[in-house]
Amino acid sequence: MKNLRRKTLAAASAVSLGVGLAVTGGLVPAASAAGPDTTYLVLAPQGATTDKAAARVAAAGGTVVAGYHQIGVLVVRSTNPDFTSRVAGAGVESVASTAGLGTLLDQGETVEVSAATAAAATADPTAEPLFGQQWDMPMIDVPQAHAVNAGSADVVVGVLDSGISSSHPDLATQIAKDKSASCIGGVADTDEAAWNPTVSDHGTHVAGTIAAAVNGVGVTGVAPGVKVAAVKVVNDDLYIYPEAALCGFMWAADHGMQLTNNSYFIDPWELNCRNDARQRPVWQAVQRAIRYSNSKGVLNVASAGNSNFDLAHKITDIHSPNNDTPEIRENLTNACLDLPAEAPGVVTVSAVGRTGEKSFYSSYGQGVIDVTAPGGDTRYRTQGAGPTSTDGILSTTWNPATKINGWGYKQGTSMSGPHATGVAALALSAHPGLAPGALAALLERTAEAQSCPDGVYNPAPLHPAGPNAYDATCSGGERNGFYGAGMVNAYNAVK
């Protein structure tokens, strides 16, 4: 969806949660006038326990609402306006308020198909009524892959998103309910109502691309034999906060998931700068969570973003906080990264349309993009041709206004990411036991290489933003900035 990077896209174990923890003794809380109830990330030194940090939190007038002791991170609430300065000291490496660091989810437009179309019979090989409109599936050889391996129920994919409709006819049998949770506020809530969608169909659409059932209804997913778990990180104001994403990675790691799909970015700026005092604790906490999930056998897949941004050449960040005073940051360095897409150990996915060319909106970057996949491109390139819904990605939907399940089109790297995640799930089904690094290598090795276009790429000459608004230049050879190692291929991954 348009500018998903700017407005994304995007639950801890019972053992790790320390709900309402209050440690006293040694330090005396300082009296202070109460301020707004604020969330903080408090980090203990790498490798250290959180005991001293928890004591300092209590003494500074804070309450630990979630303790991720495995990685030395506490999610804290406090009304003490001096909390940051009061909590600093021995046992605390860094601390940051997450107030104002929420990222607004841009759901994009959903173009729904009619009930009659959804029920129409077809002669397509999957026997799914809407398969004929899923141009994306043949593009990555999904029918051929399903003839070999359609996925194993032992593989569970965590969908870190806005929730998944558990009543959708194409998804009801596909959800691992015992592994699903809401992570809003940084604390896991396993109630089914909590992890169902409330304001957005984004997560339901993503889940359908990964694993919609082959059941004679609607569409097929890339890997209909696997399970998906709803890990809700988008609140009812449509914001994603760092503590929710942190919780999501930890929940997936501690609940037996082998893959996560992440179609969002963390922080309201385009980039998270780890040399910025305010942003560094967020980077540290999320990076620790991603490393931990890797150690627990999880491969994380992330969308590259929809700003047509060259992630390999970061100079100016024009996408300032969307819930704060606008700000343009210049003279940036590679200390500023798209998080989680540019975190080490994460597979980063760009998007293409049905022609196989880079989608006009897709971000890119030599050495950043690992693979590409269908994401849709409704701004067709032929002179005189306007946008059509069928150039988007068809998947499962849930209408927030009517609360009705259905099917519809969306576009964005939010849609390309789950194609890559689905292929990875098929690969893991066919080759059980692959470690995250080996699985990522297999995904790249089985991709179909795509060459850079010549010269300046001008994919949307008729776009209302201007004829050159989406110009981009591709660099690299067989592995390049637009497509990485190439287009993911489901059949190559399982044969």
Side-chain angles (χ1 to χ4, degrees):
M1 14 221 75
K2 181 104 166 28
N3 288 332
L4 194 61
R5 290 172 48 84
R6 183 177 186 271
K7 296 184 176 180
T8 144
L9 193 269
S13 71
V15 174
S16 68
L17 276 178
V19 179
L21 180 66
V23 181
T24 59
L27 299 173
V28 180
S32 178
D37 193 13
T38 302
T39 299
Y40 297 85
L41 296 181
V42 177
L43 280 68
Q46 182 73 48
T49 69
T50 57
D51 294 348
K52 291 182 179 179
R56 295 201 67 87
V57 166
T63 300
V64 175
V65 296
Y68 299 101
H69 310 296
Q70 311 95 313
I71 60 172
V73 178
L74 303 176
V75 179
V76 174
R77 303 282 297 182
S78 179
T79 59
N80 184 352
D82 300 321
F83 179 81
T84 299
S85 60
R86 294 286 185 183
V87 79
V92 173
E93 178 178 325
S94 60
V95 58
S97 162
T98 64
L101 294 186
T103 303
L104 183 63
L105 177 72
D106 182 353
Q107 304 176 80
E109 180 185 5
T110 301
V111 181
E112 295 185 356
V113 300
S114 68
T117 300
T122 70
D124 290 301
T126 64
E128 299 300 275
L130 294 174
F131 181 80
Q133 297 180 48
Q134 290 186 275
W135 56 265
D136 47 315
M137 297 301 174
M139 177 178 272
I140 59 173
D141 288 346
V142 165
Q144 295 92 322
H146 286 183
V148 178
N149 193 320
S152 167
D154 293 332
V155 175
V156 181
V157 179
V159 179
L160 276 63
D161 215 295
S162 62
I164 302 173
S165 174
S166 61
S167 62
H168 198 291
D170 250 345
L171 295 172
T173 61
Q174 308 302 94
I175 301 173
K177 293 184 178 181
D178 61 327
K179 298 179 184 296
S180 296
S182 167
C183 269
I184 306 306
V187 182
D189 182 350
T190 58
D191 185 79
E192 186 168 340
W195 52 258
N196 261 261
T198 48
V199 293
S200 168
D201 69 344
H202 191 269
T204 299
H205 196 280
V206 165
T209 296
I210 296 170
V214 174
N215 57 0
V217 176
V219 297
T220 182
V222 174
V226 309
K227 298 295 183 181
V228 290
V231 185
K232 190 174 181 179
V233 297
V234 180
N235 69 18
D236 283 353
D237 293 323
L238 287 173
Y239 278 89
I240 300 157
Y241 282 86
E243 61 269 22
L246 170 71
C247 166
F249 286 119
M250 297 300 292
W251 177 265
D254 286 335
H255 288 81
M257 299 176 207
Q258 298 95 333
L259 289 155
T260 70
N261 187 89
N262 304 270
S263 294
Y264 59 89
F265 73 95
I266 301 169
D267 210 75
W269 284 276
E270 182 86 4
L271 305 169
N272 184 287
C273 296
R274 60 181 184 267
N275 58 353
D276 179 280
R278 174 97 189 275
Q279 294 183 299
R280 180 170 174 77
V282 173
W283 164 260
Q284 291 174 311
V286 172
Q287 177 70 355
R288 288 185 190 183
I290 290 173
R291 282 201 303 265
Y292 178 77
S293 70
N294 289 159
S295 75
K296 300 285 282 188
V298 183
L299 177 64
N300 301 294
V301 179
S303 301
N306 299 343
S307 296
N308 190 41
F309 190 76
D310 186 353
L311 294 167
H313 297 90
K314 307 178 184 77
I315 300 174
T316 302
D317 182 354
I318 64 173
H319 296 291
S320 60
N322 46 53
N323 58 343
D324 204 345
T325 303
E327 175 184 338
I328 295 177
R329 301 187 298 177
E330 298 181 322
N331 301 316
L332 301 180
T333 70
N334 283 333
C336 298
L337 301 174
D338 179 358
L339 191 63
E342 288 192 89
V346 173
V347 173
T348 307
V349 188
S350 64
V352 299
R354 65 191 305 165
T355 65
E357 299 171 288
K358 184 184 91 68
S359 300
F360 74 91
Y361 54 79
S362 180
S363 291
Y364 57 100
Q366 176 69 5
V368 177
I369 301 301
D370 295 306
V371 290
T372 195
D377 191 337
T378 61
R379 189 61 56 172
Y380 212 67
R381 294 169 184 77
T382 305
Q383 187 73 20
T388 61
S389 62
T390 55
D391 293 320
I393 301 298
L394 181 62
S395 187
T396 47
T397 61
W398 174 85
N399 189 309
T402 64
K403 315 300 182 187
I404 294 175
N405 296 302
W407 294 266
Y409 297 90
K410 286 182 179 287
Q411 70 170 3
T413 56
S414 277
M415 283 63 254
S416 63
H419 283 86
T421 302
V423 172
L426 286 180
L428 193 59
S429 299
H431 312 286
L434 283 179
L439 179 57
L442 177 63
L443 190 67
E444 295 181 17
R445 188 170 66 251
T446 57
E448 299 282 352
Q450 294 190 204
S451 300
C452 281
D454 294 331
V456 176
Y457 179 61
N458 180 20
L462 304 179
H463 199 279
N468 301 111
Y470 289 93
D471 285 1
T473 301
C474 182
S475 60
E478 187 168 287
R479 186 184 182 108
N480 56 65
F482 276 13
Y483 311 114
M487 179 90 71
V488 295
N489 187 278
Y491 179 57
N492 290 347
V494 300
K495 68 181 181 181

